[in-house]
Amino acid sequence: MLERNQLPLRPVAPGFAVAWVVVISGASVALSLFFACITPFVALAAVSAVILPRRMAVTAVLLAWLANQMVGYLVLGYPQTWDSYAWGLAIGIAAFACLAAALLVLRLSADLTVTMVGAFMAGFVAYEGALFAATVVLPSGAFSAAVVADVLLINSLAAIGLICLHAGAAAGRALAASQPGPMLS
């Protein structure tokens, strides 16, 4: 079993971290197009918190949220009303609350699997809690147990997919690094 202090998901090369931010932003666009109103910000934030340095994780979540909003308003035709803009802002706040909760879990001393699951669970509670709090002041009829269950399922599947994508990229990078280079004479 991997130890928490090994944290193999953290990229070694700065270029890898930048590439992962691009992947997270691209995933946000693709997932926004596919799921529309249920972009898996919990998965994006929790995986970013574990994989990336803190500043890069913040950048990844910010770009993912901005990309989601652009897709929503420019491609999917979200209504351009005050409550729609307010919900967009509430979703952004919830995404950052999720990231903050996931980053707090990283302070715990646990193995990698427990850390990732804990980051995801803490992030989910923070995300849904922030959205539930927004229903106090914003019009909503969509906050129900069934919707929360759908959000949990979509985020769980997205997190698994992102972790597999990262593990595959890390394995590929390790394989490429182990290959002998060309001999110069």
Side-chain angles (χ1 to χ4, degrees), residues 33-73:
L33 288 169
F34 189 72
F35 292 117
C37 291
I38 309 180
T39 299
F41 285 112
V42 175
L44 297 170
V47 173
S48 292
V50 175
I51 291 173
L52 296 171
R54 183 173 292 140
R55 285 186 182 164
M56 296 297 282
V58 169
T59 301
V61 171
L62 176 63
L63 290 176
W65 175 76
L66 287 171
N68 169 262
Q69 296 303 297
M70 289 176 59
V71 167
Y73 287 106

Side-chain angles (χ1 to χ4, degrees), residues 82-100:
W82 75 269
D83 58 323
S84 176
Y85 296 136
W87 271 112
L89 181 60
I91 290 169
I93 291 167
F96 280 102
C98 171
L99 177 63

Side-chain angles (χ1 to χ4, degrees), residues 22-162:
V22 172
V23 166
I24 291 292
S25 299
S28 176
V29 170
L31 294 167
S32 294
L33 288 169
F34 189 72
F35 292 117
C37 291
I38 309 180
T39 299
F41 285 112
V42 175
L44 297 170
V47 173
S48 292
V50 175
I51 291 173
L52 296 171
R54 183 173 292 140
R55 285 186 182 164
M56 296 297 282
V58 169
T59 301
V61 171
L62 176 63
L63 290 176
W65 175 76
L66 287 171
N68 169 262
Q69 296 303 297
M70 289 176 59
V71 167
Y73 287 106
L74 300 176
V75 178
L76 299 176
Y78 286 0
Q80 297 192 12
T81 60
W82 75 269
D83 58 323
S84 176
Y85 296 136
W87 271 112
L89 181 60
I91 290 169
I93 291 167
F96 280 102
C98 171
L99 177 63
L103 287 169
L104 283 174
V105 169
L106 296 182
R107 295 174 181 242
L108 303 176
S109 181
D111 74 355
L112 187 58
T113 304
V114 171
T115 299
M116 188 63 232
V117 170
F120 180 85
M121 290 173 60
F124 185 79
V125 169
Y127 183 77
E128 289 298 322
L131 292 180
F132 184 71
T135 64
V136 172
V137 294
L138 295 175
S140 172
F143 204 94
S144 68
V147 171
V148 172
D150 286 345
V151 171
L152 178 60
L153 176 64
I154 289 168
N155 275 282
S156 298
L157 295 174
I160 291 167
L162 289 169

